[in-house]
Amino acid sequence: MLLASLNPSAVAAGHDLADAVRIGGVSLSRSDLVGAATSVAERVGGARRIAVLATPTATTVLAIAGCLIAGVPVVPVPADVGEAERRHILSDSGAQAWLGELPEQTEGLPHVPVRLHARSWHRYAEPSPDAIAMVMYTSGTTGPPKGVLISRRAIATDVDALAAAWAWTPDDTLVHGLPLFHVHGLILGLLGSLRIGNRLVHTGKPSPAAYAEAAGSLYFGVPTVWSRIAGDLDAALALSSARLLVSGSAPLPVPVFDRLVQLTGHAPVERYGSTESLITLSTLADGERRPGWVGLPLAGVQTRLTGEDGAAVPHDGESIGRLEVRGPMLFDGYLNLPEATAAALGQDGWYRTGDVAVVDSGGMHRIVGRESVDLIKSGGYRVGAGEIETALLGHEGVAEVAVVGVPDDDLGQRIVAFVVGSAEPEVLIEFVAGQLSAHKRPREVRIVDALPRNAMGKVMKKELTQGD
């Protein structure tokens, strides 16, 4: 059963939990979740696809759980999405109604409310593991967002692999304040908890104070969250009683990693994945956690590095290659886009992630970044932007940084660093030249007030290169 902790038989046998989910000022017991979500299932059963405005509320939790109980694919829609993007998501997905909360513009779809206090104890047969659980839309950085088809089997397999990697059990209290329309917050945070049976505390906004107050054993956060906690002594000390801190969705700066170790006593677990692949790599609860490295393949996952000529790239911890992955948690394709699906998956079943990485002799992976913006070809060298960013963050005058390659008539691409901080550009260029090979130094440093980021805290590098 995908949502194993919501098995009506287990709840009826006395395995209830009074505060299984706390979100938006509401506490839901396990029996609340079963009864109310089954009531939702009765109202949407038989639908082709249902749109859910993915706000951090009990209504959203019950809407998503109800659809999964009924076997109806969910289309999570970000609450802050623009009008044009929302219209595209709804029309492309073929969603037949809004379930739960409504946006200001409904685009003409009917509304099915979620009744928090309604209860049903109807028993539904478990849908096929191969059935689509949700259609999750990508960020659309290279065109309109694509609908990623994610099966029930993919979610269950991924959560189970993470449970083994992180020693994640029903005894944990998971705390996070991440959006419920991305893999990190929705599939790992919410559905992972409903499958494993641990308590879930969603803090709304992921502030240091809210994380500290929640008193969890397992915490999920993006680097921006961890950076703020590392800068808040009281919050960091409060998290020292936790069991595991997990960072993902973007690279965790090494100085933040080191500061968390110093203040909390915990080396964060880092992991890697995407909407299309879910999570495929992670460091382990009982293994090495190396700053800047995202770990080993999860159970059932294979990876490979290939060069521009398609040949295998050596696992020497230095050579950069295109990362491809294969495993049971991969997506089933892009909705309505067979050509894009074939380009991403191919006939061999390997997903072309679009990321570049290095792998050491022990199988530990380090993500260099996106091939399109983080692999810089300058003066005949292949340079990873992440290595330069890490070096710059080691300077006390740098708070944030993003490194990109911009077109250059002489070098092919010129290394440019966008820095939030107080240091002088010339000083930073020389600093990197002293830390790394000379050809990896930025040719230009631009001081900016802020870096453009998306909802998950990822820097939108293409915005930085516009105009060059």
Side-chain angles (χ1 to χ4, degrees):
M1 183 177 181
L2 177 58
L3 307 182
S5 74
L6 301 191
N7 186 325
S9 298
V11 174
H15 300 294
D16 203 352
L17 190 63
D19 55 347
V21 173
R22 283 188 277 153
I23 186 169
V26 175
S27 287
L28 298 169
S29 69
R30 196 167 286 159
S31 59
D32 289 336
L33 288 163
V34 172
T38 304
S39 175
V40 170
E42 289 189 339
R43 308 190 73 199
V44 300
R48 182 175 65 251
R49 294 186 193 100
I50 292 289
V52 174
L53 191 68
T55 56
T57 62
T59 296
T60 296
V61 171
L62 296 175
I64 291 171
C67 285
L68 294 177
I69 289 172
V72 175
V74 180
V75 182
V77 180
D80 61 352
V81 72
E83 181 179 344
E85 188 168 331
R86 179 175 59 243
R87 187 179 301 119
H88 167 75
I89 290 172
L90 296 175
S91 62
D92 186 67
S93 68
Q96 294 170 290
W98 286 104
L99 176 61
E101 297 187 22
L102 281 173
E104 291 184 6
Q105 300 294 328
T106 65
E107 309 300 338
L109 290 185
H111 177 224
V112 180
V114 169
R115 297 166 179 163
L116 294 182
H117 302 291
R119 297 289 183 271
S120 171
W121 305 107
H122 180 78
R123 301 293 181 91
Y124 281 84
E126 178 72 5
S128 165
D130 295 322
I132 297 302
M134 63 181 58
V135 184
M136 185 173 285
Y137 278 78
T138 63
S139 58
T141 55
T142 57
K146 296 188 289 289
V148 178
L149 299 169
I150 304 174
S151 71
R152 301 172 72 91
R153 183 192 306 277
I155 294 172
T157 302
D158 202 49
V159 170
D160 291 349
L162 291 171
W166 299 343
W168 184 2
T169 75
D171 293 330
D172 277 308
T173 294
L174 169 60
V175 178
H176 78 82
L178 304 173
L180 296 184
F181 48 83
H182 283 297
V183 168
H184 199 164
L186 174 55
I187 293 181
L188 274 61
L190 175 58
L191 301 189
S193 295
L194 295 183
R195 179 167 180 80
I196 290 173
N198 57 273
R199 288 179 170 86
L200 169 64
V201 178
H202 193 287
T203 61
K205 292 183 178 181
S207 68
Y211 269 44
E213 184 181 352
S217 61
L218 177 61
Y219 284 84
F220 290 173
V222 298
T224 301
V225 173
W226 294 123
S227 177
R228 291 171 181 169
I229 288 172
D232 187 316
L233 179 60
D234 290 340
L237 292 176
L239 266 58
S240 63
S241 61
R243 185 179 65 81
L244 208 64
L245 312 181
V246 178
S247 182
S249 298
L252 182 67
V254 172
V256 176
F257 183 105
D258 292 340
R259 182 70 171 162
L260 287 171
V261 173
Q262 177 186 356
L263 295 179
T264 70
H266 297 294
V269 159
E270 296 187 66
R271 86 299 181 283
Y272 166 82
S274 67
T275 307
E276 290 88 347
S277 69
L278 303 185
I279 307 305
T280 51
L281 302 168
S282 182
T283 52
L284 307 178
D286 61 353
E288 179 188 7
R289 302 177 212 169
R290 190 187 308 168
W293 295 72
V294 294
L296 306 167
L298 295 177
V301 173
Q302 296 173 280
T303 68
R304 68 185 184 190
L305 291 184
T306 60
E308 293 181 344
D309 59 357
V313 170
H315 291 188
D316 57 13
E318 293 290 339
S319 299
I320 297 173
R322 295 167 174 165
L323 177 64
E324 301 179 10
V325 300
R326 185 165 65 179
M329 59 282 289
L330 291 188
F331 72 132
D332 282 19
Y334 297 112
L335 181 65
N336 304 324
L337 295 171
E339 292 183 0
T341 298
L345 284 173
Q347 296 182 350
D348 57 2
W350 286 89
Y351 169 54
R352 299 166 179 84
T353 66
D355 289 320
V356 286
V358 300
V359 182
D360 72 8
S361 59
M364 187 77 85
H365 291 61
R366 178 171 64 83
I367 305 301
V368 173
R370 298 298 292 171
E371 184 177 8
S372 58
V373 294
D374 291 309
L375 179 59
I376 303 170
K377 300 173 183 177
S378 183
Y381 294 97
R382 290 158 58 91
V383 179
E387 185 178 17
I388 305 169
E389 290 165 352
T390 296
L392 283 166
L393 285 168
H395 192 284
E396 62 182 9
V398 175
E400 299 179 60
V401 62
V403 171
V404 299
V406 302
D408 186 274
D409 291 339
D410 179 42
L411 298 169
Q413 285 184 302
R414 183 172 73 260
I415 300 172
V416 177
F418 291 80
V419 169
V420 178
S422 58
E424 292 295 326
E426 295 77 10
V427 171
L428 294 178
I429 292 171
E430 291 305 313
F431 179 76
V432 174
Q435 299 288 314
L436 306 175
S437 302
H439 67 268
K440 295 180 181 179
R441 73 188 186 282
R443 299 300 177 121
E444 183 182 352
V445 171
R446 303 181 189 177
I447 305 299
V448 296
D449 293 331
L451 300 175
R453 297 181 181 272
N454 64 16
M456 292 301 290
K458 293 182 180 180
V459 176
M460 296 182 287
K461 290 191 172 182
K462 288 189 177 180
E463 290 193 10
L464 295 174
T465 59
Q466 291 174 357
D468 281 288

